[in-house]
Amino acid sequence: MSYPPPPAGDPNNPYGQQPPQGQPGYGYPQQAPQGVPPQQGYGYPQQGAGVPPQQGYGYPQQQPPAGTVQANNGYINLVTGPVLLATMGQRFLARLVDGLIVGVIMTIAMVAGMGSVVGIAGNAADDCGSYMDPGYDACMNEAAAQAGSGFAVMFGILGIFALFMLLYEWLMIGIKGATFGKMALGLRVVRESTGQVPGVGAGFIRYIIPMVGAFLCYIGAALVYLSPFFDSTGKLQGWHDRAAGTVVIKK
């Protein structure tokens, strides 16, 4: 048995009631009154005037500026990414290896030069005989001239060696970013601003500063090489590194 539906205007009929004008029902988009800007609903990003949009989760975060030292872990942020700074122990061992290479070459040059001079003097003593022999003075004078030539050759070799030292440290750092000693320890000198090799100009600045200090009985050069201990920035930059804008890193 069916019942007729209640009248549409019956106040007791909840199904027949119409929503008041201007008040939308549930589930319908709300319309703002005239002259009032519409409000964004839930789930939509709200953006205020003059306020930059916020990055959500999963977006790449802004990298810190180049040259920023990370806290207490020995890393520095370069434009190429975070890299590990070389410790003073590693740098000392690298310079020790370079010193051994240079020392071997210098020793060979000195022994060759001194051997030549001593050999000339010994031959003169045998060939010229006694000072009573005629022509002894002329023989010794000739031997002295030959010995002088030997000294000249030795100092010439040392000059070539000094030039080699200049080009070795300067050009190896400027072009390759490392000497043989640094290569052996896996170290590299790079520009702090670019993360690339220093270049010839910066390599020369980095080399010449300790060499100028070497004129003071090498005390100045020693202070330059120890100056990273005084760097309060945590970058372990020596005075020569600061002047050249470089840092020493572990590859």
Side-chain angles (χ1 to χ4, degrees):
M1 182 174 182
S2 61
Y3 295 94
D10 189 353
N12 296 322
N13 179 17
Y15 300 99
Q17 293 180 359
Q18 300 295 325
Q21 295 296 324
Q23 295 184 4
Y26 295 104
Y28 291 90
Q30 299 182 5
Q31 184 176 1
Q34 185 176 3
V36 179
Q39 300 294 325
Q40 292 178 336
Y42 295 105
Y44 291 90
Q46 299 184 6
Q47 182 176 354
V51 179
Q54 301 292 326
Q55 290 184 341
Y57 295 104
Y59 285 85
Q61 301 297 319
Q62 184 177 4
Q63 294 295 327
T68 304
V69 179
Q70 297 185 8
N72 302 323
N73 62 2
Y75 281 82
I76 183 172
N77 295 305
L78 300 179
V79 294
T80 54
V83 291
L84 184 63
L85 288 167
T87 66
M88 288 301 293
Q90 292 167 341
R91 294 170 69 167
F92 172 76
L93 290 176
R95 192 155 293 278
L96 183 62
V97 172
D98 285 327
L100 291 175
I101 295 173
V102 170
V104 168
I105 298 174
M106 186 174 182
T107 300
I108 292 174
M110 291 291 293
V111 168
M114 290 300 298
S116 175
V117 172
V118 171
I120 291 173
N123 292 335
D126 294 335
D127 296 340
C128 293
S130 173
Y131 68 93
M132 297 296 295
D133 294 336
Y136 175 80
D137 291 337
C139 180
M140 291 301 295
N141 289 335
E142 182 180 356
Q146 292 176 357
S149 299
F151 275 113
V153 170
M154 182 181 70
F155 283 113
I157 293 174
L158 292 178
I160 295 174
F161 173 75
L163 179 61
F164 163 77
M165 280 298 302
L166 167 64
L167 298 178
Y168 171 71
E169 180 83 15
W170 170 23
L171 296 183
M172 288 289 288
I173 293 295
I175 297 175
K176 299 292 291 182
T179 58
F180 290 121
K182 286 182 171 58
M183 289 180 186
L185 270 294
L187 308 183
R188 194 180 185 199
V189 181
V190 297
R191 277 187 176 273
E192 183 181 358
S193 59
T194 64
Q196 304 300 319
V197 295
V200 175
F204 180 77
I205 293 174
R206 193 178 187 276
Y207 168 77
I208 202 63
I209 290 178
M211 289 303 100
V212 171
F215 286 107
L216 300 174
C217 299
Y218 216 76
I219 296 176
L223 288 176
V224 171
Y225 291 134
L226 292 176
S227 59
F229 283 117
F230 315 139
D231 185 12
S232 60
T233 65
K235 302 175 185 178
L236 293 178
Q237 283 182 309
W239 299 333
H240 55 322
D241 284 312
R242 290 189 183 185
T246 57
V247 290
V248 185
I249 63 172
K250 175 73 173 175
K251 292 190 295 183

